[in-house]
Amino acid sequence: MPAETTPGPRSLRALREQKRPVRRPASVEEIPLDQVPMVETTPLDATAPREATGEVAPEVVRRDGGVAVLGLGFGSFSVGWVGPVPIAEPADAEPRAAGSTLPGQIAIDAWHFRGGDPWVRAEWLAMVQGEGGPEVIWAHGWYGWRSGQTRVERRIRTPVRAAAGGMAYVFRARCPSCALGQRDVLQVVLPGPGFSQAPIGIEPIALSTASGGSVIRAVSRQAVARLRALAPELPAGKDLVLGVEVTRAIGEAQSTVLVRVREAPPDRAF
């Protein structure tokens, strides 16, 4: 039977570091809620209509091999349950042969409408440069297979507040006729989730005097590289952790948005 051994100081230190990986210090930015741009919105229909009646979205088109969003630049879109994918086609892209799909196109055909609904949900999100700074275009509509058109149900274009050097962008959406938890929401535009190729996504944090909320996103170095198209000063070659939190202490007149970014621990790199 082997003799019992006592771990030395180096072994004990290594075990402690394994249990509690070194946490990199986080940069913290505070944004008073009254400094966040605000926009009024309307509720969205939860079910597909028998006949969509909104204006036709000229930027969403049926191309040979799929559906594409043209001319918006940096963003992502989805159609039905497919996506999100990056908006990658320039407005003057040439049509491709039938059956081919470019980056920035979603291959969709009549099979996606097998349930009998003539329309499926379409959503697209893009960052653009406005006269006063960055703006977001966020639209929802209904794509129809027979017509090849997308009818807009709701389109938002609003300035956004950049945070964490361009890692995130925030705006406030108020909807008096929406459900209770959706009437006042902080919308956070942030890098796409996980291994998604979509460069950006959007996450809501409900605003309330009684509670706060947060969004935490692991951001791979590949996602950071894509986002450098908007913010070239972002660090290259690093996996990061992004957190956005809304807090309001008792007695405070308004909520505060806290944005934290730190380097991912070595054992959590992705």
Side-chain angles (χ1 to χ4, degrees), residues 11-22 267-268:
S11 299
L12 289 171
R13 185 166 60 249
L15 285 171
R16 283 195 295 267
E17 289 178 355
Q18 239 181 359
K19 281 187 174 182
R20 296 187 294 274
V22 177
D267 64 329
R268 302 291 178 86

Side-chain angles (χ1 to χ4, degrees), residues 17-221:
E17 289 178 355
Q18 239 181 359
K19 281 187 174 182
R20 296 187 294 274
V22 177
R23 293 179 66 87
R24 306 304 200 262
S27 65
V28 182
E29 181 179 353
E30 295 188 14
I31 305 173
L33 195 59
D34 61 4
Q35 294 182 16
V36 175
M38 185 170 64
V39 64
E40 295 284 335
T41 70
T42 55
L44 292 169
D45 288 333
T47 57
R50 296 308 302 171
E51 186 62 42
T53 58
E55 64 171 314
V56 175
E59 65 268 40
V60 185
V61 298
R62 183 158 65 191
R63 305 286 301 275
D64 291 333
V67 181
V69 176
L70 304 182
L72 289 186
F74 192 85
S76 58
F77 77 105
S78 59
V79 178
W81 47 265
V82 185
V85 303
I87 296 173
E89 280 195 285
D92 58 354
E94 292 293 329
R96 295 298 179 95
S100 67
T101 305
L102 286 169
Q105 283 187 226
I106 287 178
I108 190 168
D109 55 29
W111 182 82
H112 293 81
F113 297 82
R114 64 192 185 284
D117 288 333
W119 304 88
V120 293
R121 171 65 76 197
E123 178 181 355
W124 56 107
L125 175 74
M127 293 293 303
V128 297
Q129 190 63 30
E131 293 183 2
E135 296 181 355
V136 67
I137 296 173
W138 186 28
H140 295 77
W142 298 100
Y143 172 75
W145 168 251
R146 296 187 185 91
S147 66
Q149 295 178 334
T150 297
R151 297 279 180 171
V152 177
E153 182 180 357
R154 186 179 76 185
R155 188 199 303 270
I156 295 170
R157 178 165 181 162
T158 179
V160 291
R161 169 71 182 262
M167 183 70 69
Y169 300 84
V170 295
F171 68 96
R172 186 177 182 181
R174 301 194 69 177
C175 177
S177 55
C178 285
L180 186 60
Q182 301 171 0
R183 291 178 186 173
D184 196 1
V185 177
L186 182 76
Q187 297 289 355
V188 184
V189 180
L190 69 177
F195 295 101
S196 170
Q197 293 299 308
I200 54 174
I202 190 164
E203 294 287 346
I205 301 177
L207 299 172
S208 168
T209 57
S211 63
S214 63
V215 171
I216 299 176
R217 175 70 48 90
V219 185
S220 68
R221 62 193 66 191

